[in-house]
Structures are given as structure tokens and as C-alpha cells.
Amino acid sequence: MSMRRSLQASAATLCLSALVAGCGQSVDGSSTIDTKNVSAASPESPGPRVLHEKWPEKVPSRGLAKGLALPLEAFMTSYADEIAVQEARDVAETACMRRYGFTDWRTEDLGVAPPVSDNASNMPRRYGLSILAEAKEYGYHVPSTGTESTPPPEQEAAGAATVLQGVDGSQKVMSFKGSALPEGGCTGEVNRKVGTLDSHVVEELSSESFLQSQQEPAVKTAMAAWSGCMKDRGYDAPTVWDTDELVGVQSQTPTDKEIAIAVADVECKQETDLIKIWFDQESAIQRQLIKKNQASLSGAQQKADKTLDVASGVTASLR
């Protein structure tokens, strides 16, 4: 992990940084980087490279979750939004660091390790595996994992940590080489200038609906039917989450056993219509939660929209 990412590990941007940093890989392990789709940083244009390939779909277009979008997704932060805010933060950080003599300062590439889902609903795998073709090839493994991008050189330069965080060890530092530092260093300046996206309201409600949905009679009946289907194929799994015990410790690459279980899992979901039944029940729960929490959701959405507007302005002014 680079110094910059390590220093940010306790900050509010950790989740976002982990999501949008890294080196992309296609499902077969080859690079997904296409330089034609890259917004490149340069000495005249501070900020990260942003790659746009293999980004998740807004709504699944294949598998048993095809076309499904839960009501709360309308309030969720998209992957593109996450990237936009992180890009603005990185642009502002780079501009700040260059003011203090780190003229080659760059940040890690963005968009190179896209997640499976466009938002926190994780619809392609919310109810477990849903795409038979992936089960046949990857078992329960996620097709594209990606790795962290190589840290840019100046991130390890002497004094960089002090300027970035405004601290030296446990001591606050107010200046660097005779120039006053922003409170909290360049990271503090970025927090004040751009801010971060806060999705805790909608994500908590999403977790609540997910847990509630599993107690619905229709879901329990469908789950029991799925379990019976699995038993007919030789697998004892009361719920879709019990397949982990059947597979055991997951190897680096899927075994024949894992693939066989994964295929049975998806085929039994198809036979019992488990995912659609589960989705319908959770959708009803979410609609009720939206009615009860409309004020909180609307307020959170307004804050997110404001942050995105600010991020767009920062990127446009400093790029």
C-alpha cells in the first residue's frame, strides 16, 4: 500500500479510496486498461488518470437479476459518483502538494478495479450467485478482482507525509519550509474544499430491508424449495448462505467441486424463482421504509448532490 493510502486509512475517505483505487484486470486476468479511454494527469493538469472500461451496469442485464433494481437504489451513490468525487479530491490534493514543492505529485489511477455492482445494493450478488455462465466458469469467485496501482514516486518523498497530513509523528505541524500549512495539511484542505459522500442513511435502510426480507413467509417458502432442489442434487444447504460450508476454504482458483455447487445453486434458484420472489418481497419492504424515512433520505440526497456539484467545479477549475 502506498504511503498516501496508508495515511488515509483512518479517514472518512477510506471506503471510497478502496473502491476506486487499483489496477484493473479483465475476467481472464489480462489488463483492462485502454489508453483511448483515459483522462491522463500531467504537470499542467493535476489529478489522477481516470479509466472508464469495465464499469458496472446501472441495472444487471443478464442472469436471474436481469432488469432488477430495488427502490432504495434511487437514493444510492453510483460508482460514477464515487469516482467523480475522488477525482476532485485527488485533483485538489495534487494542486496543494505542488504548492509545497512536490511538483511531480500524482495520485493512483481511478476506475481501474470496478466493483461488481454500480451501488451498495450489490444486485448481481445480493441474493447470492445469479449468473449461470459465471458460476460455470468461476464458481463463487468474483470474475474481476484487480490489484492496487503502483504508488507514484513522490508519495514516498521526505516531508510528503507532513504536508499531506499536517502532522509529524503525533505533533501538529503548521508550516513547511517557511510556508504556512493548511489545518490538517493538504488532506484537511481537500476535506474542506471537496468533502466526501456519505451514504450511511440509505445503506442502513438497505441492510434493514435485506434482513427483514429473509423473514417474509414467501421468501422462506422459496428458500425451502431451493434447499430441496439442492438436496435432490446431493447438497445439504438450508439457505443460500450455507453453500460456503459446502465449498469449504476457497482456493485461489475455483475447483471442480466449487463450480458444481455454484451451478446447482443458480439452477435451483432458476427452478424455484427464488431471486424474483425475494426481490419482490424486499421491494415492498423498501417502499415502506422510504415512506417512513423520506425526510432523511431526501436530506442525504441533497447533501450528496451538493458534494457532486462542488466536486465537478473543483475538477473543472484545477484540471
Side-chain angles (χ1 to χ4, degrees):
M1 178 180 288
S2 71
M3 179 199 71
R4 174 171 172 268
R5 293 297 183 217
S6 178
L7 287 169
Q8 290 180 333
S10 62
T13 57
L14 173 64
C15 181
L16 177 60
S17 299
L19 176 66
V20 300
C23 284
Q25 302 235 326
S26 66
V27 294
D28 62 359
S30 61
S31 171
T32 64
I33 294 177
D34 179 355
T35 55
K36 294 180 180 179
N37 281 319
V38 175
S39 301
S42 71
E44 296 77 23
S45 176
R49 296 197 318 161
V50 181
L51 289 80
H52 301 276
E53 287 201 342
K54 307 292 184 181
W55 284 19
E57 300 174 308
K58 294 289 185 183
V59 178
S61 65
R62 61 195 183 112
L64 303 180
K66 179 180 179 179
L68 302 185
L70 288 162
L72 278 172
E73 291 188 56
F75 299 91
M76 288 183 173
T77 298
S78 70
Y79 181 64
D81 290 343
E82 299 275 10
I83 292 288
V85 172
Q86 189 62 46
E87 179 182 11
R89 290 181 61 85
D90 286 358
V91 167
E93 177 191 300
T94 302
C96 179
M97 293 297 290
R98 289 182 181 183
R99 291 204 315 266
Y100 292 94
F102 297 92
T103 55
D104 293 328
W105 188 266
R106 292 184 295 105
T107 55
E108 285 90 339
D109 299 339
L110 301 179
V112 293
V116 171
S117 177
D118 183 62
N119 57 48
S121 70
N122 193 27
M123 185 53 66
R125 293 196 175 208
R126 188 173 185 85
Y127 309 117
L129 292 182
S130 65
I131 301 175
L132 184 58
E134 287 187 1
K136 289 179 177 179
E137 187 168 359
Y138 305 106
Y140 290 93
H141 283 64
V142 178
S144 179
T145 57
T147 58
E148 189 172 344
S149 59
T150 302
E154 273 210 326
Q155 289 194 6
E156 307 298 336
T162 297
V163 174
L164 186 63
Q165 295 292 315
V167 295
D168 185 2
S170 61
Q171 300 297 315
K172 286 186 177 181
V173 177
M174 304 305 295
S175 65
F176 181 75
K177 294 184 178 180
S179 297
L181 280 176
E183 177 72 23
C186 286
T187 297
E189 179 173 293
V190 170
N191 288 337
R192 291 184 291 274
K193 182 174 289 188
V194 182
T196 57
L197 290 170
D198 184 356
S199 303
H200 79 276
V201 172
V202 67
E203 290 184 14
E204 284 180 3
L205 293 175
S206 178
S207 295
E208 183 178 340
S209 69
F210 183 68
L211 292 174
Q212 285 187 26
S213 68
Q214 296 177 62
Q215 302 307 312
E216 290 296 310
V219 175
K220 287 185 174 182
T221 298
M223 189 77 79
W226 172 88
S227 179
C229 175
M230 290 291 284
K231 194 167 186 177
D232 290 343
R233 294 167 181 249
Y235 303 114
D236 186 9
T239 73
V240 295
W241 315 124
D242 294 314
T243 55
D244 285 348
E245 295 183 12
L246 296 177
V247 173
V249 178
Q250 208 175 58
S251 59
Q252 188 172 1
T253 57
T255 62
D256 290 343
K257 174 185 175 182
E258 177 185 337
I259 289 175
I261 296 170
V263 169
D265 179 353
V266 178
E267 288 181 343
C268 283
K269 283 174 181 157
Q270 186 171 17
E271 287 183 22
T272 59
D273 206 21
L274 173 60
I275 286 181
K276 183 59 168 60
I277 292 170
W278 198 342
F279 169 82
D280 287 343
Q281 295 298 309
E282 187 173 14
S283 293
I285 293 170
Q286 287 198 358
R287 284 191 286 270
Q288 291 301 314
L289 288 174
I290 290 172
K291 288 181 180 179
K292 293 178 181 178
N293 297 275
Q294 187 66 61
S296 296
L297 287 167
S298 296
Q301 192 169 44
Q302 288 173 6
K303 289 181 181 178
D305 289 343
K306 182 178 180 180
T307 299
L308 287 165
D309 287 342
V310 169
S312 178
V314 169
T315 300
S317 66
L318 295 178
R319 269 293 196 183

